[in-house]
Amino acid sequence: MMAEPDFKLAVAGGAGVGKSALTFQLINNHFVEGHDPTIEDSYRKQFKIDQETCLLEILNTGGEDEFTGASTTGMKWDMIPREYPGLLCVFSITDRGSFDEISTFCERLRARDDLARLPMVLVGNKCDLEHLRVVPTSEGADLAKSFGCQYLEASAKSCINVEACFFELVREMHMATPKKNPHDEGSSKDKQTCSLS
């Protein structure tokens, strides 16, 4: 029987922003160029984060699922944060429309009481294409600040900040996780979990 993941997170963003490329680079240390439009899929892999070994489960969402409301698994996008309580919200620095989409999406999430404190990291992908940039770094940083989350710029192709984006989200998720009483039944000494302490 497969071990339960320590952290379950989803990668959200519009079509063509590089969600799959970021996920594949993290999982396989490989950049996939000209990838077909994503069919929603999840991946599991162990990582060492802040000297702790953690098993991550990452849901790589389909390109337009977040914004149309229906996912390829038949799960409404608004339901996904309940299953994957951490979001890597991705836009492309070369695509103003993708920035506007993720902004609207994040606003919608933050407006919901049950998701207002959902751990999130905002990612401006494709920073290797600086000559095609249309979204200034300052705008990404300001948007993240308005949502109370971290902002990082990354490049799946050049492997810039790929681990940093996912690992920062795991740290945010860890901080949002209620601490368990060590005297409770099934305490942490009985379980192999990622503490990030």
Coordinates of all heavy atoms in Angstrom, one line a residue, residues 52-108:
E52 N 14.4 17.8 6.0 CA 13.4 16.9 6.3 C 12.9 16.2 5.0 O 12.8 16.9 4.0 CB 12.2 17.5 6.9 CG 12.4 18.1 8.3 CD 12.6 17.0 9.4 OE1 12.1 15.8 9.1 OE2 13.1 17.3 10.5
T53 N 12.8 14.9 5.0 CA 12.3 14.1 3.8 C 10.7 14.2 3.8 O 10.1 13.8 4.8 CB 12.8 12.7 3.9 OG1 14.2 12.7 3.9 CG2 12.3 11.9 2.6
C54 N 10.2 14.7 2.7 CA 8.7 14.8 2.6 C 8.3 14.1 1.3 O 8.9 14.3 0.2 CB 8.4 16.3 2.5 SG 8.9 17.3 3.8
L55 N 7.1 13.5 1.4 CA 6.5 12.9 0.2 C 5.4 13.9 -0.3 O 4.5 14.2 0.4 CB 5.8 11.5 0.5 CG 5.1 10.9 -0.6 CD1 6.0 10.6 -1.8 CD2 4.4 9.6 -0.2
L56 N 5.6 14.4 -1.5 CA 4.7 15.3 -2.1 C 3.8 14.6 -3.1 O 4.2 13.8 -3.9 CB 5.4 16.5 -2.8 CG 6.4 17.3 -2.0 CD1 6.8 18.5 -2.8 CD2 5.9 17.7 -0.7
E57 N 2.5 15.0 -3.2 CA 1.6 14.7 -4.3 C 1.2 16.0 -5.0 O 0.7 16.9 -4.3 CB 0.4 13.9 -3.7 CG -0.6 13.5 -4.9 CD -1.7 12.6 -4.4 OE1 -1.4 11.6 -3.7 OE2 -2.8 12.9 -4.7
I58 N 1.5 16.0 -6.3 CA 1.3 17.3 -7.0 C 0.2 17.0 -8.1 O 0.4 16.1 -9.0 CB 2.6 17.7 -7.7 CG1 3.6 18.0 -6.6 CG2 2.4 19.0 -8.5 CD1 5.0 18.2 -7.1
L59 N -0.9 17.8 -8.1 CA -1.9 17.7 -9.1 C -1.6 18.7 -10.2 O -1.5 19.9 -9.9 CB -3.3 18.0 -8.5 CG -4.4 17.9 -9.5 CD1 -4.7 16.5 -10.0 CD2 -5.7 18.5 -8.9
N60 N -1.3 18.2 -11.4 CA -1.0 19.1 -12.5 C -2.4 19.3 -13.3 O -2.8 18.3 -13.9 CB 0.0 18.5 -13.4 CG 0.4 19.4 -14.6 OD1 0.3 20.6 -14.5 ND2 0.8 18.8 -15.7
T61 N -3.0 20.4 -13.1 CA -4.3 20.6 -13.6 C -4.4 20.9 -15.1 O -3.4 21.3 -15.7 CB -5.0 21.8 -12.9 OG1 -4.3 23.0 -13.2 CG2 -5.1 21.6 -11.4
G62 N -5.5 20.6 -15.7 CA -5.7 20.9 -17.2 C -5.7 22.4 -17.4 O -6.1 23.2 -16.5
G63 N -5.3 22.8 -18.6 CA -5.1 24.2 -18.9 C -6.2 25.2 -18.6 O -6.0 26.3 -18.1
E64 N -7.5 24.8 -18.9 CA -8.5 25.8 -18.7 C -9.5 25.4 -17.6 O -10.5 26.1 -17.4 CB -9.3 26.0 -20.1 CG -8.4 26.5 -21.2 CD -9.2 26.6 -22.5 OE1 -10.4 26.3 -22.5 OE2 -8.5 27.0 -23.5
D65 N -9.2 24.3 -16.9 CA -10.1 23.8 -15.9 C -10.5 24.8 -14.8 O -11.6 25.0 -14.4 CB -9.6 22.6 -15.2 CG -9.2 21.5 -16.2 OD1 -9.7 21.6 -17.3 OD2 -8.4 20.6 -15.9
E66 N -9.4 25.5 -14.4 CA -9.6 26.5 -13.2 C -10.6 27.5 -13.5 O -11.3 28.0 -12.7 CB -8.3 27.2 -12.9 CG -7.1 26.4 -12.6 CD -6.4 25.9 -13.8 OE1 -7.0 25.3 -14.7 OE2 -5.2 26.1 -13.9
F67 N -10.7 28.0 -14.8 CA -11.4 29.2 -15.1 C -12.8 28.8 -15.7 O -13.7 29.6 -15.7 CB -10.6 30.0 -16.1 CG -9.2 30.3 -15.5 CD1 -8.1 29.8 -16.2 CD2 -9.0 30.9 -14.3 CE1 -6.8 30.0 -15.6 CE2 -7.8 31.1 -13.8 CZ -6.7 30.6 -14.4
T68 N -12.9 27.6 -16.3 CA -14.2 27.2 -16.8 C -15.1 26.5 -15.7 O -16.3 26.4 -15.8 CB -14.1 26.2 -18.0 OG1 -13.4 25.1 -17.5 CG2 -13.4 26.9 -19.1
G69 N -14.4 26.1 -14.6 CA -15.1 25.5 -13.5 C -15.2 24.0 -13.5 O -15.5 23.3 -12.5
A70 N -14.9 23.3 -14.7 CA -14.9 21.9 -14.7 C -13.5 21.3 -15.0 O -12.8 21.8 -15.8 CB -15.9 21.4 -15.8
S71 N -13.2 20.3 -14.3 CA -11.9 19.6 -14.5 C -12.1 18.3 -15.3 O -13.2 17.8 -15.5 CB -11.2 19.3 -13.2 OG -11.8 18.2 -12.6
T72 N -11.0 17.8 -15.9 CA -11.0 16.6 -16.7 C -11.4 15.4 -15.9 O -11.8 14.4 -16.5 CB -9.7 16.4 -17.5 OG1 -8.6 16.5 -16.5 CG2 -9.5 17.5 -18.5
T73 N -11.2 15.4 -14.6 CA -11.6 14.3 -13.8 C -13.1 14.4 -13.4 O -13.6 13.5 -12.8 CB -10.8 14.3 -12.5 OG1 -11.1 15.5 -11.8 CG2 -9.3 14.2 -12.8
G74 N -13.7 15.5 -13.8 CA -15.1 15.6 -13.5 C -15.3 16.4 -12.1 O -16.4 16.7 -11.7
M75 N -14.2 16.7 -11.5 CA -14.2 17.5 -10.2 C -14.3 18.9 -10.5 O -13.5 19.4 -11.3 CB -13.0 17.1 -9.4 CG -12.9 17.7 -8.0 SD -11.3 17.6 -7.2 CE -11.2 15.8 -7.1
K76 N -15.2 19.7 -9.9 CA -15.2 21.1 -10.1 C -13.9 21.7 -9.5 O -13.4 21.2 -8.5 CB -16.4 21.7 -9.3 CG -17.7 21.4 -9.9 CD -18.0 22.3 -11.1 CE -19.4 22.2 -11.6 NZ -19.6 23.0 -12.8
W77 N -13.4 22.7 -10.2 CA -12.1 23.3 -9.8 C -12.2 23.8 -8.3 O -11.3 23.6 -7.5 CB -11.6 24.4 -10.7 CG -10.5 25.1 -10.1 CD1 -10.4 26.4 -9.5 CD2 -9.2 24.6 -9.9 NE1 -9.2 26.6 -9.0 CE2 -8.4 25.6 -9.2 CE3 -8.6 23.4 -10.2 CZ2 -7.1 25.4 -8.9 CZ3 -7.2 23.2 -9.9 CH2 -6.5 24.2 -9.2
D78 N -13.3 24.4 -8.0 CA -13.5 24.9 -6.6 C -13.4 23.8 -5.6 O -13.2 24.1 -4.4 CB -14.8 25.6 -6.5 CG -14.8 27.0 -7.2 OD1 -13.7 27.4 -7.6 OD2 -15.9 27.6 -7.4
M79 N -13.6 22.5 -6.0 CA -13.5 21.4 -5.0 C -12.0 21.0 -4.8 O -11.7 20.4 -3.8 CB -14.3 20.2 -5.5 CG -15.7 20.5 -5.6 SD -16.5 20.7 -4.0 CE -16.4 19.1 -3.3
I80 N -11.2 21.3 -5.8 CA -9.8 20.8 -5.8 C -9.0 21.3 -4.5 O -8.3 20.5 -3.9 CB -9.0 21.1 -7.1 CG1 -9.6 20.3 -8.2 CG2 -7.5 20.9 -7.0 CD1 -9.1 20.5 -9.6
P81 N -9.1 22.6 -4.1 CA -8.4 23.0 -2.9 C -8.7 22.2 -1.7 O -7.9 22.1 -0.7 CB -8.8 24.4 -2.7 CG -9.1 24.9 -4.1 CD -9.8 23.7 -4.8
R82 N -9.9 21.5 -1.6 CA -10.2 20.7 -0.5 C -9.4 19.4 -0.5 O -9.0 18.9 0.5 CB -11.7 20.4 -0.4 CG -12.6 21.7 -0.2 CD -14.0 21.3 0.1 NE -14.8 22.5 0.3 CZ -15.7 22.9 -0.5 NH1 -16.0 22.2 -1.6 NH2 -16.4 24.0 -0.3
E83 N -9.2 18.9 -1.7 CA -8.4 17.7 -1.9 C -6.9 18.0 -1.9 O -6.1 17.2 -1.4 CB -8.7 17.0 -3.2 CG -10.1 16.5 -3.2 CD -10.4 15.3 -2.3 OE1 -9.5 14.5 -2.1 OE2 -11.5 15.2 -1.7
Y84 N -6.5 19.1 -2.4 CA -5.1 19.6 -2.5 C -5.0 21.0 -1.9 O -5.1 22.0 -2.6 CB -4.7 19.6 -4.0 CG -4.7 18.2 -4.6 CD1 -5.8 17.6 -5.1 CD2 -3.5 17.5 -4.7 CE1 -5.8 16.4 -5.7 CE2 -3.5 16.2 -5.2 CZ -4.7 15.7 -5.7 OH -4.6 14.4 -6.3
P85 N -4.8 21.0 -0.6 CA -4.9 22.3 0.2 C -3.6 23.1 0.1 O -3.1 23.7 1.1 CB -5.2 21.8 1.6 CG -4.5 20.5 1.7 CD -4.6 19.9 0.3
G86 N -3.1 23.3 -1.1 CA -2.0 24.2 -1.4 C -2.0 24.5 -2.9 O -2.1 23.5 -3.7
L87 N -1.8 25.7 -3.3 CA -1.9 26.1 -4.7 C -0.6 26.8 -5.2 O -0.2 27.8 -4.6 CB -3.1 27.0 -5.0 CG -4.5 26.3 -5.0 CD1 -5.5 27.4 -5.3 CD2 -4.5 25.2 -6.1
L88 N 0.0 26.3 -6.2 CA 1.0 27.0 -7.0 C 0.3 27.7 -8.1 O -0.2 27.1 -9.0 CB 2.0 26.1 -7.5 CG 3.4 26.7 -7.8 CD1 4.1 27.1 -6.6 CD2 4.3 25.6 -8.6
C89 N 0.1 29.0 -8.0 CA -0.7 29.8 -9.0 C 0.3 30.4 -10.1 O 1.1 31.3 -9.7 CB -1.5 30.9 -8.3 SG -2.7 30.2 -7.2
V90 N 0.2 29.9 -11.3 CA 1.2 30.2 -12.3 C 0.6 31.1 -13.4 O -0.5 30.8 -13.9 CB 1.7 28.9 -12.9 CG1 2.8 29.2 -13.9 CG2 2.2 28.0 -11.8
F91 N 1.4 32.1 -13.8 CA 1.1 32.9 -15.1 C 2.4 33.0 -15.8 O 3.5 32.7 -15.3 CB 0.5 34.3 -14.7 CG 1.5 35.2 -14.1 CD1 2.2 36.1 -14.9 CD2 1.6 35.3 -12.7 CE1 3.1 37.0 -14.3 CE2 2.5 36.2 -12.1 CZ 3.3 37.0 -12.9
S92 N 2.3 33.4 -17.1 CA 3.5 33.6 -17.9 C 3.8 35.1 -17.9 O 2.9 35.9 -18.2 CB 3.3 33.1 -19.3 OG 4.3 33.6 -20.2
I93 N 5.1 35.5 -17.7 CA 5.5 36.9 -17.7 C 5.4 37.4 -19.1 O 5.4 38.7 -19.3 CB 6.9 37.1 -17.2 CG1 7.9 36.5 -18.1 CG2 7.0 36.6 -15.7 CD1 9.3 37.0 -17.8
T94 N 5.2 36.5 -20.1 CA 5.1 37.0 -21.5 C 3.6 37.1 -22.0 O 3.4 37.3 -23.2 CB 5.8 36.0 -22.5 OG1 5.1 34.7 -22.5 CG2 7.3 35.8 -22.0
D95 N 2.7 36.9 -21.1 CA 1.3 36.8 -21.5 C 0.4 37.6 -20.5 O 0.1 37.1 -19.4 CB 0.8 35.4 -21.5 CG -0.6 35.2 -21.9 OD1 -1.4 36.2 -22.1 OD2 -1.0 34.0 -22.1
R96 N 0.0 38.8 -20.8 CA -0.8 39.7 -19.9 C -2.1 39.0 -19.6 O -2.6 39.1 -18.5 CB -1.0 41.0 -20.6 CG -2.0 41.9 -20.0 CD -1.7 42.4 -18.6 NE -0.4 43.1 -18.5 CZ 0.0 43.7 -17.4 NH1 -0.6 43.5 -16.3 NH2 1.2 44.4 -17.4
G97 N -2.7 38.3 -20.6 CA -4.0 37.6 -20.3 C -3.9 36.6 -19.2 O -4.8 36.5 -18.4
S98 N -2.8 35.9 -19.2 CA -2.6 34.8 -18.1 C -2.5 35.4 -16.8 O -2.9 34.9 -15.8 CB -1.4 33.9 -18.5 OG -0.2 34.6 -18.2
F99 N -1.9 36.6 -16.7 CA -1.7 37.4 -15.4 C -3.1 37.8 -15.0 O -3.4 37.7 -13.8 CB -0.8 38.6 -15.6 CG -0.6 39.4 -14.4 CD1 0.2 39.0 -13.3 CD2 -1.3 40.6 -14.3 CE1 0.4 39.7 -12.2 CE2 -1.1 41.4 -13.1 CZ -0.3 41.0 -12.1
D100 N -3.9 38.4 -15.9 CA -5.3 38.8 -15.5 C -6.1 37.6 -15.1 O -6.9 37.8 -14.1 CB -5.9 39.5 -16.7 CG -5.2 40.8 -17.1 OD1 -4.5 41.4 -16.2 OD2 -5.4 41.3 -18.2
E101 N -6.0 36.5 -15.7 CA -6.7 35.3 -15.4 C -6.4 34.8 -13.9 O -7.3 34.5 -13.1 CB -6.4 34.1 -16.3 CG -7.2 34.2 -17.6 CD -6.9 33.0 -18.5 OE1 -5.7 32.6 -18.6 OE2 -7.8 32.5 -19.1
I102 N -5.1 34.7 -13.7 CA -4.7 34.2 -12.3 C -5.1 35.2 -11.2 O -5.4 34.8 -10.1 CB -3.2 33.8 -12.3 CG1 -3.0 32.7 -11.2 CG2 -2.3 35.0 -12.0 CD1 -3.6 31.4 -11.6
S103 N -5.1 36.5 -11.6 CA -5.5 37.5 -10.6 C -7.0 37.3 -10.3 O -7.3 37.3 -9.1 CB -5.2 38.9 -11.2 OG -5.8 39.9 -10.4
T104 N -7.8 37.2 -11.3 CA -9.2 37.0 -11.0 C -9.5 35.7 -10.3 O -10.3 35.6 -9.3 CB -10.0 36.9 -12.4 OG1 -9.8 38.1 -13.1 CG2 -11.5 36.7 -12.2
F105 N -8.8 34.6 -10.6 CA -8.9 33.3 -10.0 C -8.5 33.4 -8.5 O -9.3 33.0 -7.6 CB -8.0 32.3 -10.7 CG -7.9 31.0 -9.9 CD1 -9.0 30.2 -9.8 CD2 -6.7 30.6 -9.5 CE1 -8.9 29.0 -9.1 CE2 -6.6 29.4 -8.8 CZ -7.7 28.6 -8.6
C106 N -7.4 34.1 -8.2 CA -7.0 34.3 -6.8 C -8.0 35.1 -6.0 O -8.3 34.8 -4.8 CB -5.6 34.9 -6.7 SG -4.3 33.8 -7.3
E107 N -8.5 36.2 -6.6 CA -9.5 37.0 -6.0 C -10.7 36.2 -5.6 O -11.3 36.3 -4.5 CB -9.9 38.2 -6.9 CG -8.9 39.3 -7.0 CD -9.3 40.3 -8.0 OE1 -10.5 40.3 -8.5 OE2 -8.5 41.2 -8.3
R108 N -11.1 35.3 -6.5 CA -12.3 34.5 -6.3 C -12.1 33.5 -5.1 O -12.9 33.3 -4.2 CB -12.6 33.7 -7.5 CG -14.0 33.1 -7.6 CD -14.3 32.5 -8.9 NE -13.6 31.2 -9.1 CZ -13.4 30.6 -10.3 NH1 -13.8 31.2 -11.4 NH2 -12.8 29.5 -10.3

